Amino acid sequence: MDPSRTTAPAPPAAEPRTLSGRLGVGSIVFMVVAAAAPLTVIAGAVPLGIAQGDGAGFPATFVLCCAVLLLFAVGFCAMTRHVPNAGAFYTYIHKGLGRSTGLGSAFLALVTYTAVQLSVYGYLGATLSGLVAQYGGPALPWWLYAVAALGLVSALGYRHIELSGKVLGVLLVCEVGIVLVFDAVVNVRGGAHGLSTALLQPSQVGSGSLGIGIMFAIASFLGFEATAVYRSEARRPERTVPRATYLALLLIGGFYTLSSWSLVSAWGDADAVTQANQNPGGMLIASVSRYLGAAGGDLVQILLVTSLFAALLSFHNVIARYTFSLGNAGALPSRCGRSHARHGSPHVASVAQSASALVLIAVFALAKMDPVTQVFSWMAGTATLGVLALMALTCLAVLVFFRRTSLDRRRWNTVVAPSLGLVGLLAALALTVANFPTLIGGSGELAAGIGLILVAAFALGTGLSLARRHLLVTLPA
């Protein structure tokens, strides 16, 4: 055999480490609006905001919170063209405030989004268990339904992002559609005693506890900021991401304001507050049944389950992409930064996320934690606190980045709006901290413990970055 004709083995192909996709504005909007779980907010957060917050004036708090978040979005979108990576909060804060703070925020974001996903698993498991039993099915524990949902989410998350986008689009249209039909019927009929004007009256908006109302309202927007996570899979991301961010925020804010106002109008100002106090969990179903009949109420119960599933799938995709970004940045094992050769998805990060969620669901089940009053309440409160802190850090990063680089000289986009957004977010964060025991339905000691977990996550990331920097400096050349 002639050695000169021997064919050398081909070098192994490099592991793909980029995500693929051609997501447009609509697809990204569907995914981030689905993460906000609009039907779940109207069914859960709105009655609590009416009961514990500012009563019939609660719909106005959505307008106020939307305005603050729009100010945040101005700087967020201005910086998008200068941040080529898909790490969202991590990359923005890294660019503006340095690697150590950026890595700290990345670990904080992982804990935050994991918490919100776990809260939805708890709520979904409890809702589905109750629904099956109501219609004559077996009374099975909540965690069995949660694990079944996890399996389906994992299968969709492993594949190409456009499949998730299509599934979320269908589910979102269904859940929003039923509420909009309810809104239309209430407005055509004129409500119980005429359409409510409480949201236009400062005395009504400022009644009760406006701070708690703002806290519930700001928590309802959770997930809209994840548009930048899909940058690598977006078509013309420098345009698509900002447009999707603004559109998602306006759609969420408009839907919440309209639907909460319709819910108040359906009963009348005084009776709406009474109903929210007496039956917060069933207020929306009772309202829809009253205006659309029993079939409408049954449909809302079913769509509430699909709304929660859509939120699970959306947050799974967000966490997987954070993990993927950290794997490529060296903050997590490099395997996490691999992408699937055919699907172009962060498949390793997706599997890791599913495994961690399964372990935590098992821990909650073994601890016999209540899926609503403990798993949902505690984890949702944790996520609200974490996201507000991350958005405030991002606003500060935007201000520092443009002050240092002068890459964009538009004062409104780079100074005025981010500064006003930072003030508003810090105020919302202060209100959330002050009322945190109320938000999680627990004690002051529990609230302090959750706060320490978030601080520890941030400190871990920051410490890891500082330790690596010190190691690189001290190693011999």
Side-chain angles (χ1 to χ4, degrees), residues 289-310:
S289 299
R290 186 178 184 182
Y291 282 83
L292 302 182
D298 291 341
L299 184 58
V300 166
Q301 293 187 69
I302 295 170
L303 291 177
L304 182 58
V305 173
T306 64
S307 171
L308 292 166
F309 178 80

Side-chain angles (χ1 to χ4, degrees), residues 127 207 266 290 388:
T127 301
S207 66
R290 186 178 184 182
L388 282 171

